[in-house]
């Protein structure tokens, strides 16, 4: 079945560490996105990528980095510069960037700083 | 700038009662509107979307929403709540001139269903 796979489901990070969240899709979608979800805050866009080897900052990119070396993969690195990284992270993809395009989501990664 | 407001962060209904979740958007151009559902510790799943055409949109699990341009609203309804409807619901919008492909989400409404 086609879909988006995020791993790991739960991740614990010590302060000062960088961690990388994986996102893989087999939907052959061009565009991929990373959102951060905090209770009562909805979803906020961190980074997005419309094509391979290209990506743009979203609303809250500080302290995060991404790469898009392959169409199916869009990993997110949470760096030590991110002061409050504890959150639920969601990866999404769309076939294109048309306005009526449906976004498909992964199951999320819950990151906790210990 | 476009934005989405969901009135009520928490709504509680009895099983079998009407579900009404409110969503208002701000946009100076025609919007494309979406409702997503999220179960605990899960990703988001599309319930329905409005692009153009018929203003009453039917989605999965018996939900529907009506686009009212004059009220800038896109409220989600279901005639009879079921226990399995307990989840968090997000309204989202896109429009011309926004970041390519980006969805702007409301803060969500958590629906509880009482037996």
């Amino acid at each position: 079945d086609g879909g988006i796979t995020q791993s790991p489901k739960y991740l614990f990070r010590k302060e000062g560490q960088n961690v990388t969240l994986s996102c893989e899709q087999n939907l052959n979608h061009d565009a991929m996105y990373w959102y951060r979800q905090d209770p009562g805050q909805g979803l906020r866009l961190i980074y997005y990528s419309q094509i391979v080897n290209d990506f743009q900052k979203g609303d809250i990119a500080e302290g995060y980095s991404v790469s898009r070396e392959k169409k199916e993969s869009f990993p997110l690195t949470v760096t030590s510069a991110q002061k409050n990284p504890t959150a639920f992270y969601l990866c999404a993809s769309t076939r294109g960037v048309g306005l009526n395009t449906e976004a498909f989501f992964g199951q999320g990664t819950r990151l906790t700083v210990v | 700038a476009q934005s989405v407001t969901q009135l009520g962060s928490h709504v509680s209904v009895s099983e079998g009662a009407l579900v009404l979740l409110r969503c208002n958007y701000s946009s100076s151009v025609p919007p494309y509107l979406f409702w997503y559902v999220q179960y605990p510790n899960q990703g988001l799943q599309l319930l329905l979307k409005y692009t153009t055409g018929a203003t009453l949109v039917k989605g999965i699990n018996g939900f529907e929403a009506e686009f009212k341009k004059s009220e800038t609203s896109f409220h989600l309804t279901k005639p009879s709540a079921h226990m399995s409807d307990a989840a968090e619901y997000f309204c989202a919008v896109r429009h011309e001139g926004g970041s390519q492909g980006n969805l702007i989400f409301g803060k969500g409404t958590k629906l509880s269903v009482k037996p």
Side-chain angles (χ1 to χ4, degrees):
Chain A
D1 287 338
I4 299 178
T5 301
Q6 290 187 240
S7 61
K9 190 170 178 64
Y10 298 96
L11 186 57
F12 297 89
R13 189 194 96 169
K14 293 182 180 179
E15 289 196 21
Q17 277 185 339
N18 292 353
V19 291
T20 298
L21 283 60
S22 172
C23 178
E24 303 277 331
Q25 55 100 357
N26 60 3
L27 299 167
N28 199 32
H29 284 177
D30 292 314
M32 297 186 73
Y33 311 80
W34 273 105
Y35 289 91
R36 171 178 169 141
Q37 184 178 19
D38 296 283
Q41 295 296 313
L43 279 72
R44 293 180 290 170
L45 183 67
I46 304 173
Y47 270 97
Y48 66 102
S49 168
Q50 298 177 38
I51 56 172
V52 174
N53 293 322
D54 187 46
F55 48 83
Q56 287 77 41
K57 293 182 179 180
D59 300 319
I60 55 165
E62 186 175 349
Y64 300 97
S65 65
V66 293
S67 63
R68 187 87 187 275
E69 297 177 0
K70 298 185 297 183
K71 186 176 184 178
E72 58 270 23
S73 179
F74 192 42
L76 173 74
T77 297
V78 184
T79 75
S80 56
Q82 170 50 237
K83 297 306 179 189
N84 185 23
T86 295
F88 192 53
Y89 291 87
L90 286 161
C91 179
S93 70
T94 58
R95 194 183 323 163
V97 293
L99 294 173
N100 63 347
T101 304
E102 173 186 352
F104 290 79
F105 285 82
Q107 296 297 292
T109 293
R110 186 166 297 281
L111 174 63
T112 304
V113 174
V114 296
Chain B
Q2 54 185 327
S3 68
V4 177
T5 302
Q6 291 185 239
L7 293 175
S9 59
H10 205 137
V11 170
S12 182
V13 300
S14 297
E15 192 172 18
L18 171 72
V19 175
L20 170 60
L21 304 182
R22 300 178 187 273
C23 173
N24 289 88
Y25 66 90
S26 66
S27 175
S28 58
V29 296
Y32 291 75
L33 296 157
F34 305 78
W35 274 102
Y36 283 85
V37 61
Q38 184 182 35
Y39 298 98
N41 292 310
Q42 299 281 318
L44 275 67
Q45 179 184 7
L46 181 70
L47 276 177
L48 49 80
K49 65 180 181 182
Y50 169 78
T51 55
T52 58
T55 56
L56 182 62
V57 181
K58 294 187 184 299
I60 62 172
N61 301 338
F63 284 94
E64 62 183 36
E66 186 171 10
F67 170 61
K68 292 187 176 180
K69 184 179 178 180
S70 61
E71 298 177 8
T72 62
S73 69
F74 190 56
H75 301 332
L76 182 70
T77 60
K78 182 174 180 178
S80 177
H82 192 271
M83 296 297 290
S84 61
D85 295 326
E88 189 157 20
Y89 293 80
F90 292 92
C91 183
V93 64
R94 284 200 193 103
H95 67 65
E96 294 282 357
S99 298
Q100 286 295 316
N102 182 29
L103 284 164
I104 305 298
F105 286 89
K107 294 189 175 182
T109 297
K110 193 164 289 187
L111 176 67
S112 300
V113 182
K114 299 175 290 185

